[in-house]
Protein backbone atom coordinates (compact mmCIF):
# COMPACT_ATOMS: atom_id res chain seq x y z
CA UNK A 1 0.00 0.00 0.00
CA UNK A 2 0.94 3.67 -0.03
CA UNK A 3 0.58 6.31 2.64
CA UNK A 4 -0.56 9.62 1.23
CA UNK A 5 -0.70 12.94 3.03
CA UNK A 6 -2.23 16.19 1.87
CA UNK A 7 -1.76 19.76 2.97
CA UNK A 8 -3.75 21.64 3.97
CA UNK A 9 -6.42 19.34 5.32
CA UNK A 10 -8.94 22.14 5.01
CA UNK A 11 -9.06 25.81 4.17
CA UNK A 12 -11.48 28.68 3.83
CA UNK A 13 -10.60 31.07 1.02
CA UNK A 14 -11.89 34.25 -0.48
CA UNK A 15 -13.32 34.49 -3.95
CA UNK A 16 -10.70 35.35 -6.58
CA UNK A 17 -7.74 33.93 -4.70
CA UNK A 18 -5.79 30.74 -5.43
CA UNK A 19 -4.91 27.78 -3.25
CA UNK A 20 -2.17 25.21 -3.80
CA UNK A 21 -2.75 21.75 -2.37
CA UNK A 22 0.21 19.49 -1.74
CA UNK A 23 0.28 15.71 -1.98
CA UNK A 24 3.12 13.65 -0.54
CA UNK A 25 3.50 9.88 -0.94
CA UNK A 26 5.73 7.63 1.15
CA UNK A 27 7.01 5.71 -1.90
CA UNK A 28 7.88 6.42 -5.50
CA UNK A 29 4.91 6.10 -7.83
CA UNK A 30 4.58 6.78 -11.52
CA UNK A 31 0.95 7.75 -11.71
CA UNK A 32 -0.80 10.31 -9.54
CA UNK A 33 -4.33 11.54 -9.91
CA UNK A 34 -6.32 14.49 -8.64
CA UNK A 35 -10.03 14.14 -7.95
CA UNK A 36 -12.74 16.54 -6.89
CA UNK A 37 -15.73 15.66 -4.76
CA UNK A 38 -18.40 18.32 -4.69
CA UNK A 39 -20.81 18.41 -1.74
CA UNK A 40 -23.04 15.35 -1.72
CA UNK A 41 -21.54 14.03 -4.93
CA UNK A 42 -19.23 11.24 -6.02
CA UNK A 43 -15.61 11.67 -7.04
CA UNK A 44 -14.71 13.20 -10.40
CA UNK A 45 -11.27 12.84 -11.92
CA UNK A 46 -9.63 16.19 -12.65
CA UNK A 47 -6.34 15.09 -14.17
CA UNK A 48 -3.63 12.47 -14.30
CA UNK A 49 -0.16 13.66 -13.33
CA UNK A 50 2.79 11.55 -14.38
CA UNK A 51 6.32 12.56 -13.51
CA UNK A 52 8.21 13.94 -16.46
CA UNK A 53 5.21 14.84 -18.56
CA UNK A 54 2.42 17.36 -18.68
CA UNK A 55 -0.71 16.54 -16.76
CA UNK A 56 -3.61 15.11 -18.74
CA UNK A 57 -6.90 16.82 -17.95
CA UNK A 58 -10.36 15.33 -18.14
CA UNK A 59 -13.19 16.92 -20.03
CA UNK A 60 -14.41 20.02 -18.22
CA UNK A 61 -11.12 20.74 -16.49
CA UNK A 62 -8.40 23.03 -17.87
CA UNK A 63 -4.82 23.75 -16.94
CA UNK A 64 -5.39 27.47 -16.42
CA UNK A 65 -7.91 26.73 -13.70
CA UNK A 66 -6.19 23.70 -12.15
CA UNK A 67 -2.45 23.85 -12.81
CA UNK A 68 -0.60 20.76 -11.60
CA UNK A 69 3.04 20.18 -10.83
CA UNK A 70 4.75 16.81 -10.54
CA UNK A 71 8.42 17.53 -9.80
CA UNK A 72 9.33 14.01 -8.64
CA UNK A 73 7.93 10.54 -7.99
CA UNK A 74 6.67 11.26 -4.47
CA UNK A 75 5.13 14.72 -4.71
CA UNK A 76 2.52 16.70 -6.61
CA UNK A 77 0.61 19.92 -6.24
CA UNK A 78 -2.78 21.04 -7.49
CA UNK A 79 -3.62 24.72 -7.61
CA UNK A 80 -7.22 25.91 -7.66
CA UNK A 81 -6.99 29.29 -9.36
CA UNK A 82 -9.23 32.33 -9.25
CA UNK A 83 -11.60 30.55 -6.93
CA UNK A 84 -15.35 30.97 -6.81
CA UNK A 85 -17.88 29.43 -4.40
CA UNK A 86 -18.53 26.72 -7.00
CA UNK A 87 -15.01 25.43 -6.33
CA UNK A 88 -15.97 24.50 -2.78
CA UNK A 89 -15.23 20.78 -2.72
CA UNK A 90 -13.01 18.11 -1.31
CA UNK A 91 -9.90 17.66 -3.44
CA UNK A 92 -8.27 14.25 -3.28
CA UNK A 93 -4.88 13.03 -4.38
CA UNK A 94 -4.55 9.43 -5.49
CA UNK A 95 -1.66 7.23 -6.53
CA UNK A 96 -1.63 4.09 -8.61
CA UNK A 97 0.85 1.40 -9.45
CA UNK A 98 1.10 -2.21 -10.51
CA UNK A 99 1.44 -4.41 -7.44
CA UNK A 100 1.40 -8.11 -6.74
CA UNK A 101 -2.36 -8.22 -7.18
CA UNK A 102 -2.40 -6.10 -10.31
CA UNK A 103 -3.31 -2.44 -10.41
CA UNK A 104 -3.52 -0.82 -6.98
CA UNK A 105 -4.79 2.66 -6.29
CA UNK A 106 -4.92 4.54 -3.02
CA UNK A 107 -6.32 7.86 -1.93
CA UNK A 108 -5.21 10.62 0.36
CA UNK A 109 -7.41 12.02 3.12
CA UNK A 110 -8.53 14.95 0.99
CA UNK A 111 -8.44 18.73 1.31
CA UNK A 112 -11.75 20.34 2.20
CA UNK A 113 -11.97 23.71 0.48
CA UNK A 114 -14.62 26.31 1.21
CA UNK A 115 -14.72 29.42 -0.95
CA UNK A 116 -16.62 32.43 0.37
CA UNK B 1 -14.85 2.01 -18.91
CA UNK B 2 -17.99 -0.03 -18.33
CA UNK B 3 -20.78 1.61 -16.36
CA UNK B 4 -21.90 0.12 -13.06
CA UNK B 5 -25.30 0.15 -11.38
CA UNK B 6 -25.71 -0.07 -7.62
CA UNK B 7 -28.69 0.37 -5.31
CA UNK B 8 -28.58 3.82 -3.76
CA UNK B 9 -28.88 2.57 -0.20
CA UNK B 10 -28.98 -0.57 1.95
CA UNK B 11 -29.37 -1.39 5.60
CA UNK B 12 -27.75 -4.15 7.59
CA UNK B 13 -27.92 -5.28 11.19
CA UNK B 14 -24.70 -5.30 13.14
CA UNK B 15 -23.09 -8.75 13.15
CA UNK B 16 -24.93 -9.89 10.04
CA UNK B 17 -23.47 -10.26 6.58
CA UNK B 18 -23.84 -7.27 4.27
CA UNK B 19 -24.26 -8.24 0.61
CA UNK B 20 -23.80 -5.33 -1.77
CA UNK B 21 -24.74 -5.99 -5.41
CA UNK B 22 -23.33 -4.36 -8.50
CA UNK B 23 -24.35 -4.72 -12.13
CA UNK B 24 -21.78 -4.21 -14.85
CA UNK B 25 -23.42 -5.80 -17.85
CA UNK B 26 -21.17 -4.03 -20.39
CA UNK B 27 -17.91 -5.13 -18.78
CA UNK B 28 -15.26 -6.19 -21.25
CA UNK B 29 -12.72 -8.96 -20.97
CA UNK B 30 -9.85 -6.77 -19.85
CA UNK B 31 -11.73 -4.91 -17.12
CA UNK B 32 -11.40 -5.64 -13.44
CA UNK B 33 -14.06 -5.07 -10.78
CA UNK B 34 -12.90 -2.88 -7.92
CA UNK B 35 -14.63 -2.02 -4.67
CA UNK B 36 -13.86 1.03 -2.57
CA UNK B 37 -15.65 2.57 0.36
CA UNK B 38 -15.73 6.08 1.69
CA UNK B 39 -16.44 6.73 5.30
CA UNK B 40 -17.74 10.21 5.97
CA UNK B 41 -15.12 12.94 5.51
CA UNK B 42 -12.36 10.51 4.57
CA UNK B 43 -10.69 9.51 1.32
CA UNK B 44 -11.88 6.33 -0.41
CA UNK B 45 -10.47 3.13 1.01
CA UNK B 46 -9.59 0.18 -1.20
CA UNK B 47 -11.46 -3.02 -0.30
CA UNK B 48 -10.93 -5.68 -2.92
CA UNK B 49 -10.76 -6.32 -6.66
CA UNK B 50 -11.05 -9.22 -9.07
CA UNK B 51 -11.19 -10.21 -12.71
CA UNK B 52 -13.28 -13.38 -12.91
CA UNK B 53 -12.47 -15.54 -9.91
CA UNK B 54 -13.98 -14.98 -6.51
CA UNK B 55 -11.65 -13.17 -4.16
CA UNK B 56 -11.38 -12.93 -0.39
CA UNK B 57 -9.23 -10.82 1.88
CA UNK B 58 -9.28 -9.70 5.49
CA UNK B 59 -11.96 -7.12 4.78
CA UNK B 60 -14.42 -8.77 2.43
CA UNK B 61 -15.26 -11.33 -0.24
CA UNK B 62 -15.99 -10.58 -3.87
CA UNK B 63 -18.26 -12.88 -5.80
CA UNK B 64 -18.27 -12.39 -9.58
CA UNK B 65 -20.85 -14.19 -11.69
CA UNK B 66 -19.64 -16.53 -14.38
CA UNK B 67 -20.70 -14.17 -17.16
CA UNK B 68 -19.01 -11.30 -15.24
CA UNK B 69 -22.04 -9.08 -15.68
CA UNK B 70 -22.58 -8.64 -11.98
CA UNK B 71 -20.80 -9.02 -8.68
CA UNK B 72 -21.49 -8.96 -4.96
CA UNK B 73 -19.33 -7.56 -2.20
CA UNK B 74 -19.79 -9.43 1.05
CA UNK B 75 -18.88 -8.04 4.44
CA UNK B 76 -19.24 -11.20 6.53
CA UNK B 77 -19.87 -9.62 9.93
CA UNK B 78 -20.84 -5.98 9.53
CA UNK B 79 -20.01 -3.54 12.31
CA UNK B 80 -21.14 0.02 12.90
CA UNK B 81 -17.79 1.19 11.54
CA UNK B 82 -18.68 -0.34 8.17
CA UNK B 83 -21.28 2.38 7.62
CA UNK B 84 -20.04 4.10 4.48
CA UNK B 85 -20.63 4.69 0.78
CA UNK B 86 -19.51 1.64 -1.20
CA UNK B 87 -18.36 2.12 -4.78
CA UNK B 88 -18.22 -0.60 -7.40
CA UNK B 89 -15.90 0.35 -10.27
CA UNK B 90 -14.76 -1.41 -13.39
CA UNK B 91 -11.40 -0.49 -14.76
CA UNK B 92 -9.28 -1.41 -17.73
CA UNK B 93 -6.22 -3.44 -16.95
CA UNK B 94 -4.09 -3.03 -20.05
CA UNK B 95 -1.15 -0.68 -19.86
CA UNK B 96 -0.69 2.00 -22.47
CA UNK B 97 -4.28 2.95 -23.14
CA UNK B 98 -5.49 6.45 -22.37
CA UNK B 99 -7.84 5.19 -19.68
CA UNK B 100 -5.24 3.04 -17.99
CA UNK B 101 -5.27 3.61 -14.27
CA UNK B 102 -8.40 5.72 -14.18
CA UNK B 103 -11.10 4.92 -11.68
CA UNK B 104 -14.48 6.30 -12.64
CA UNK B 105 -16.74 6.61 -9.62
CA UNK B 106 -20.52 6.29 -9.76
CA UNK B 107 -22.90 7.27 -6.97
CA UNK B 108 -22.30 4.12 -4.94
CA UNK B 109 -24.41 2.45 -2.28
CA UNK B 110 -24.88 4.05 1.11
CA UNK B 111 -24.64 1.17 3.57
CA UNK B 112 -26.02 1.85 7.01
CA UNK B 113 -25.22 -0.69 9.70
CA UNK B 114 -27.54 -0.40 12.67
CA UNK B 115 -27.35 -1.95 16.14
Amino acid sequence: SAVISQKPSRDICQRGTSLTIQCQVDSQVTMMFWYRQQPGQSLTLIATANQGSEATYESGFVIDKFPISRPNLTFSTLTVSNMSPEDSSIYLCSVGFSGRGGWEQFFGPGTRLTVL
Amino acid sequence: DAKTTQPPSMDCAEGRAANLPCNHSTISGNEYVYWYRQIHSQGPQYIIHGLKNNETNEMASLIITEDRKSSTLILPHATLRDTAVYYCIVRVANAGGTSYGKLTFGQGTILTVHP
Side-chain angles (χ1 to χ4, degrees):
Chain A
S1 65
V3 178
I4 305 167
S5 60
Q6 289 185 230
K7 290 182 181 180
S9 58
R10 60 178 60 229
D11 207 343
I12 301 173
C13 301
Q14 296 297 320
R15 178 195 301 262
T17 63
S18 297
L19 176 71
T20 295
I21 302 168
Q22 299 179 6
C23 176
Q24 181 74 51
V25 190
D26 69 341
S27 57
Q28 294 184 338
V29 293
T30 301
M31 302 187 78
M32 296 182 77
F33 308 89
W34 286 99
Y35 285 79
R36 180 176 75 181
Q37 188 170 27
Q38 295 176 299
Q41 301 297 313
S42 185
L43 282 76
T44 301
L45 180 64
I46 298 172
T48 301
N50 295 334
Q51 196 269 339
S53 62
E54 295 290 325
T56 302
Y57 289 83
E58 297 298 303
S59 175
F61 297 96
V62 295
I63 187 171
D64 290 346
K65 176 66 176 177
F66 298 102
I68 290 171
S69 77
R70 182 77 203 275
N72 57 52
L73 292 174
T74 63
F75 187 80
S76 177
T77 66
L78 170 76
T79 299
V80 186
S81 303
N82 188 24
M83 289 183 286
S84 66
E86 291 72 34
D87 294 320
S88 297
S89 297
I90 299 173
Y91 292 86
L92 296 121
C93 173
S94 176
V95 302
F97 50 86
S98 292
R100 287 184 303 171
W103 179 257
E104 301 183 29
Q105 191 160 344
F106 302 94
F107 289 80
T111 295
R112 184 180 294 273
L113 171 62
T114 302
V115 183
L116 303 178
Chain B
D1 291 334
K3 179 178 171 59
T4 62
T5 304
Q6 299 177 252
S9 63
M10 294 183 65
D11 288 338
C12 180
E14 189 177 21
R16 305 295 295 270
N19 298 287
L20 291 89
C22 179
N23 286 323
H24 30 79
S25 59
T26 60
I27 193 170
S28 57
N30 66 342
E31 289 181 315
Y32 284 71
V33 180
Y34 282 75
W35 283 84
Y36 283 78
R37 72 180 182 184
Q38 187 174 26
I39 297 170
H40 182 63
S41 297
Q42 298 181 24
Q45 177 189 22
Y46 166 81
I47 301 174
I48 199 167
H49 75 280
L51 183 62
K52 53 185 177 181
N53 297 323
N54 297 338
E55 303 287 345
T56 296
N57 62 22
E58 64 278 5
M59 290 183 66
S61 294
L62 174 61
I63 309 298
I64 302 174
T65 58
E66 190 170 345
D67 63 7
R68 300 185 70 239
K69 293 184 177 182
S70 66
S71 60
T72 301
L73 178 74
I74 301 173
L75 307 179
H77 306 286
T79 70
L80 299 179
R81 288 178 295 180
D82 291 322
T83 293
V85 180
Y86 286 77
Y87 295 101
C88 170
I89 303 164
V90 293
R91 181 202 153 264
V92 296
N94 293 340
T98 57
S99 59
Y100 180 66
K102 293 182 185 178
L103 292 177
T104 302
F105 286 78
Q107 294 305 307
T109 296
I110 301 172
L111 174 68
T112 303
V113 181
H114 52 85

